[in-house]
Amino acid sequence: MSLKLSDVTLIPPGAEAAMFARLSLTVAPGETVCIMGPSGVGKSSLIAHIGGHLGRGFRSVGSVTLNGVDLLALPAEKRGVGVLFQDAQLFAHLSVGDNLAFGLRAGLRGRVPRQRAVAQALEQAGLAGFEARDPATLSGGQRMRVALMRALLAEPRAMLIDEAFARLDSGLRAEIRGFVLEHIAARKIPALMVSHDDQDALAADRVLQLRP
């Protein structure tokens, strides 16, 4: 299951010039590629484009495929792409367990199997017994682990990581980054990560520069 970008670039609303030089790469199963570049060059916009969340008015060039399927022809919910953001984006009105249950694939039916899947995910995240916890009571690292497990429970075919570790303190950042990348590699999911952090780049399998 490879993620392939061919001659991709974006043109912002009202502009004529592209945000960055055309980008071509293939991300292999289990590989994490880190995209770096100056602020404003379009790293987060690239992630939004692949995930199907790019703002209106942008124009795109090139193609994005996942295992040969044209992602750009599909709505976001049909792309099978998980995304991790800086703030974890947990639902404040749901418990930790219900946040995870929200990510479960539709084909997993029955209360007991769904509860078992949530419990297993929490155990893998080192958060066993946290089902009833309010997300507001979690630390930043705990929130990111829950966000990752929620994304993985949806069985994504690719993962996008948008500066997900930037708000964590330096000591915790390395631990959570390792946790995330190890789970992605173990599941053979191609991952594209954008970052300003040299340590993120060192942890990735490959690094590319996004250039104006």
Side-chain angles (χ1 to χ4, degrees):
M1 191 71 69
S2 297
L3 177 66
K4 184 176 182 179
L5 282 64
S6 300
D7 290 325
V8 172
T9 192
L10 300 171
I11 304 168
E16 294 298 328
M19 299 182 75
F20 49 84
R22 295 194 183 199
L23 177 67
S24 294
L25 77 152
T26 298
V27 188
E31 181 184 29
T32 296
V33 175
C34 182
I35 300 291
M36 303 190 78
S39 296
V41 75
K43 297 187 297 297
S44 290
S45 295
L46 175 63
I47 291 293
H49 178 51
I50 298 169
H53 309 289
L54 191 63
R56 296 180 64 181
F58 277 86
R59 289 178 287 156
S60 66
V61 175
S63 65
V64 180
T65 61
L66 182 56
N67 202 31
V69 176
D70 179 9
L71 288 187
L72 304 184
L74 301 173
E77 65 273 13
K78 298 292 186 181
R79 296 188 182 191
V81 176
V83 188
L84 287 181
F85 298 100
Q86 282 187 21
D87 61 2
Q89 297 196 351
L90 300 181
F91 299 115
H93 65 289
L94 297 180
S95 68
V96 168
D98 286 341
N99 264 280
L100 287 173
F102 184 86
L104 287 168
R105 59 183 174 83
L108 183 61
R109 301 184 182 277
R111 183 173 59 86
V112 172
R114 292 174 69 85
Q115 287 178 337
R116 185 181 300 119
V118 167
Q120 288 175 344
L122 285 172
E123 184 173 356
Q124 290 176 353
L127 300 172
F130 274 51
E131 284 91 341
R133 287 280 293 271
D134 184 333
T137 68
L138 302 182
S139 68
Q142 289 171 334
R143 289 172 61 84
M144 189 55 65
R145 280 184 275 166
V146 171
L148 173 67
M149 301 316 293
R150 183 178 65 183
L152 293 177
L153 284 172
E155 300 183 3
R157 295 188 293 274
M159 284 292 296
L160 305 173
I161 305 171
D162 188 3
E163 302 274 7
F165 317 117
R167 293 182 181 174
L168 301 173
D169 65 61
S170 58
L172 185 60
R173 192 178 307 156
E175 175 190 339
I176 299 303
R177 178 176 53 235
F179 175 83
V180 168
L181 299 188
E182 286 169 12
H183 275 271
I184 288 171
R187 287 164 172 78
K188 302 298 183 184
I189 302 170
L192 194 62
M193 171 171 64
V194 301
S195 179
H196 289 100
D197 189 340
D198 290 339
Q199 296 304 309
D200 286 348
L202 289 172
D205 299 298
R206 193 156 38 112
V207 182
L208 294 176
Q209 293 288 331
L210 203 60
R211 304 187 185 279

